[in-house]
Structure formats: C-alpha cells, structure tokens
Amino acid sequence: MKIDMHCHVKEGSIDSRVGIEEYIEILKKKGFQGMVITDHDTYNGYRYWKENIKGKKHTDFVVLKGIEYDTRDAGHILVIMPEGVKIRLLEMRGMPLALLIDLVHRNGGVLGPAHPCGEKYMSFTHARKFYQSPEIIKRFDFVEGFNSCETTESNAGAMKLAKKYGKLTTGGSDSHKSDCVGRGYTILPEPVSCETELISLIHKKTPLKASGVLYNKTTKEKIGKINKFLVYSFWVYNKSGELLKRHGRNKKMEEEHPFDPIDPIELYYHP
C-alpha cells in the first residue's frame, strides 16, 4: 500500500494551498491508496474530511488522522494516535519532548521526528533536546527518513540516524503546494484501513519503504538569505505560542496526563 505520511491541507494548515479533495485526487492519479493528514498542532483538516467527505466521496481511498506537533525543545514531531483517542493536549503546542512521548505512548500512539536533520529549531538533531539527551531517540517509534521538501543531505542524515538506532523509516511529501503532493511516500507491506492497523505495523517493526523525489527547489533555496530570518521568526512564533498556551495546557494536563494514570488497555494481546 502506497501512502503519503506527511500531508498539510488548507482546511487545517494556514500555510497550505491544497484543499483535501484536490490532495486526494492528485494522490490517486499518482497511484496512492492513502494519506496521513499531519497539520501543525491541529486536527481541523481531518475533522473537515470526517464531517464533509468521509463515506460520501473517495471511498476507495484511506485517510488517516495524524498531527505534526511543535515541541518546546525538539522541533517537529509526527504523531499518530489510535482512532477514537481524543487528546486536546496534542492541539496545544509547546510540550517538551519527554512529556509528549509519555502522553503518546500511554494512550497507544506512535511518534517520530519529522525531517530530523533539517532546519534549526524545527528539526530534532538541530534542537536543544538532542544536544542535551541524544539517546532519547531510542524512545521514538520511527524516523521520517524521506521528506521531499528537504535536501539530499538532510534525508541522508535521517536515514543514517534511523539505521544507527534501528528505527523504521517513513516517507512523506510535507507538501503545502499542489506540485509537491505525492513526491514522498511510504510503502506498507500490507493495506491498512485505520490508524490502529498502521500503529500495529509500526509496533511490530514491520519493514517499511520510504522514498520519493525531491521537490524541484526548496523554499530555503528560493528565498536565499531571507530563510535565516524566517527560521528565527519561527522560533519566536513557537516560543510565544508555547507561553500563551502554557496555562491552558497545564490545566488540560491534569485531565489528560495525570501523574498516576490508569494503565491503558493493551492494543495487542501476546499470549
């Protein structure tokens, strides 16, 4: 099964120019059978699919719910939770990585760094947590090994990181424009129809193939020196957002991530 595991749609991402229907149509023409919607810190893109399209159109195509979470100290992290698990905290950016990992794993989900060798602040190996505790990568379930908006060097670094720590690799386009849709992909050895089935493949360490074709010219290459300004602007944006949401996030933390939680039900039974 061929799926794009890093997708941004305009119904959920303010910086995406591709509506979910257009996204699906392009992927289907390119031979894809599914996608994972991974908008930044929101499930609004998936909500739009669920409320307006699911079961009515594109019934031959699988759309799964994911998120690209902006951490306080480790850049962007891709998260996939089991269907039916609703965690408001994942839509409130700014959690530290260690806390995010605990929250996701306690509730049966999986996570891994997006473009781990990419831009400063946005990528795991160029973020504070990696310099402080590089071995925390062992707690990831996968690594995004191919991102079509990254450079050859960035993707090579991601693959090397995954190999070093024995992690599965996923691939995605990270597309915000129609001409980038479907340039990155993940090949699953068997079809999935829901998030739990995809999570199961990852938990079982089922080999996945991550590959694709690089975007013609990355945003960084197009804008030149202005890119450095944008990188620092993102840091300010993310830091201010983390501070603004801190009170609400701490309040929600007491409900969704208690210190003494009830053990989650096992997803898979191993006799």
Side-chain angles (χ1 to χ4, degrees):
M1 182 177 184
K2 187 178 184 181
I3 65 173
D4 188 338
M5 288 186 63
H6 192 156
C7 308
H8 296 279
V9 298
K10 69 179 182 181
E11 290 84 359
S13 293
I14 58 173
D15 57 348
S16 176
R17 300 180 186 176
V18 192
I20 187 167
E21 281 212 71
E22 181 185 4
Y23 211 117
I24 292 171
E25 288 166 359
I26 294 173
L27 286 180
K28 288 171 73 172
K29 288 178 181 177
K30 291 187 175 184
F32 284 72
Q33 292 84 43
M35 66 185 287
V36 183
I37 300 177
T38 54
D39 292 316
H40 284 277
D41 311 305
T42 181
Y43 287 122
N44 284 342
Y46 183 82
R47 288 189 183 103
Y48 183 88
W49 154 262
K50 187 175 180 181
E51 295 168 5
N52 299 281
I53 305 174
K54 186 177 182 180
K56 302 172 185 176
K57 299 174 67 176
H58 303 296
T59 55
D60 59 341
F61 190 86
V62 176
V63 177
L64 302 180
K65 181 180 72 173
I67 206 162
E68 186 171 9
Y69 188 81
D70 292 4
T71 64
R72 180 188 307 174
D73 57 357
H76 300 171
I77 307 297
L78 297 173
V79 177
I80 303 170
M81 302 301 296
E83 66 275 10
V85 175
K86 300 177 181 179
I87 300 179
R88 174 62 176 148
L89 274 170
L90 292 176
E91 296 185 84
M92 305 174 78
R93 71 178 182 271
M95 275 188 285
L97 177 60
L99 185 58
L100 175 67
I101 292 173
D102 285 344
L103 177 69
V104 171
H105 285 165
R106 281 185 183 184
N107 290 278
V110 293
L111 75 170
H115 43 71
C117 300
E119 289 288 0
K120 188 176 181 180
Y121 304 128
M122 304 180 200
S123 306
F124 176 66
T125 62
H126 294 149
R128 177 159 47 99
K129 190 63 179 179
F130 177 73
Y131 295 118
Q132 293 175 338
S133 309
E135 293 298 295
I136 199 170
I137 192 174
K138 293 178 179 179
R139 300 188 65 197
F140 286 131
D141 303 288
F142 61 87
V143 167
E144 184 177 61
F146 184 88
N147 181 305
S148 61
C149 290
E150 288 295 318
T151 63
T152 300
E153 294 74 21
S154 173
N155 285 325
M159 287 292 192
K160 184 177 179 180
L161 191 70
K163 184 177 181 180
K164 178 179 178 180
Y165 289 95
K167 299 298 177 181
L168 296 178
T169 55
T170 64
S173 63
D174 195 4
S175 50
H176 296 71
K177 299 178 181 179
S178 58
D179 57 348
C180 188
V181 173
R183 284 180 173 265
Y185 60 82
T186 306
I187 300 294
L188 307 179
E190 59 188 74
V192 299
S193 60
C194 61
E195 291 80 9
T196 300
E197 291 177 357
L198 177 56
I199 291 170
S200 176
L201 287 179
I202 294 172
H203 278 170
K204 294 173 183 176
K205 300 185 182 300
T206 309
L208 312 176
K209 180 183 178 182
S211 189
V213 178
L214 295 180
Y215 194 39
N216 292 329
K217 211 170 189 182
T218 64
T219 301
K220 179 179 179 180
E221 292 170 329
K222 287 180 180 179
I223 63 179
K225 294 181 179 179
I226 298 176
N227 181 70
K228 190 172 183 179
F229 169 76
L230 292 179
V231 168
Y232 283 103
S233 295
F234 170 80
W235 181 86
V236 173
Y237 165 79
N238 205 33
K239 190 64 177 178
S240 60
E242 183 267 315
L243 293 171
L244 287 171
K245 291 190 179 286
R246 181 171 293 182
H247 176 72
R249 194 174 57 246
N250 289 343
K251 187 176 180 181
K252 185 62 66 175
M253 189 79 66
E254 296 175 7
E255 303 172 15
E256 296 185 340
H257 193 61
F259 287 110
D260 187 23
I262 298 173
D263 289 336
I265 298 173
E266 289 186 0
L267 282 176
Y268 318 107
Y269 173 66
H270 301 287

